[in-house]
Amino acid sequence: MQDSQALCNKDNIEATVAKNKILYNVVSYARQRLSQEGFRRTRFRTESSEKRKPLSYKLTRQALASDIYLAFKIAVDYFIEEQ
């Protein structure tokens, strides 16, 4: 979505790119966590269910948008674990 923004100022461009990189990393972390938690809730785990695809980025964003507490918790966990 970065291409849809009208950015002319060099400082604004750098700040927007930095913000987008941070958000991408947090959403990727959330995607990984939510996919793993979904696997843990599977009642009968099999070898094939272990290899299933992770959540899509769209579903991850929807899950975070629908539960602000979950979004905040994952963001805090991301910054604590990444140190």
Side-chain angles (χ1 to χ4, degrees):
M1 295 182 156
Q2 185 172 319
D3 294 337
S4 66
Q5 298 173 351
L7 302 173
C8 299
N9 184 350
K10 183 180 177 185
D11 294 332
N12 192 13
I13 292 171
E14 291 173 1
T16 302
V17 169
K19 175 194 70 171
N20 289 346
K21 285 182 181 182
I22 292 169
L23 290 175
Y24 175 77
N25 289 337
V26 172
V27 171
S28 295
Y29 176 79
R31 178 183 182 219
Q32 178 185 9
R33 285 270 308 267
L34 293 175
S35 296
Q36 288 173 349
E37 289 173 11
F39 173 69
R40 285 191 209 116
R41 282 187 241 136
T42 303
R43 190 169 184 181
F44 300 103
R45 295 181 201 142
T46 64
E47 190 174 316
S48 63
S49 66
E50 266 185 59
K51 296 177 182 177
R52 67 183 176 165
K53 287 184 175 182
L55 287 177
S56 67
Y57 283 100
K58 182 178 182 178
L59 288 175
T60 302
R61 286 192 315 265
Q62 289 174 350
L64 296 177
S66 67
D67 187 355
I68 192 69
Y69 174 74
L70 175 65
F72 185 73
K73 181 179 180 293
I74 287 179
V76 168
D77 289 348
Y78 170 79
F79 288 108
I80 288 173
E81 285 186 20
E82 292 297 314
Q83 291 183 8

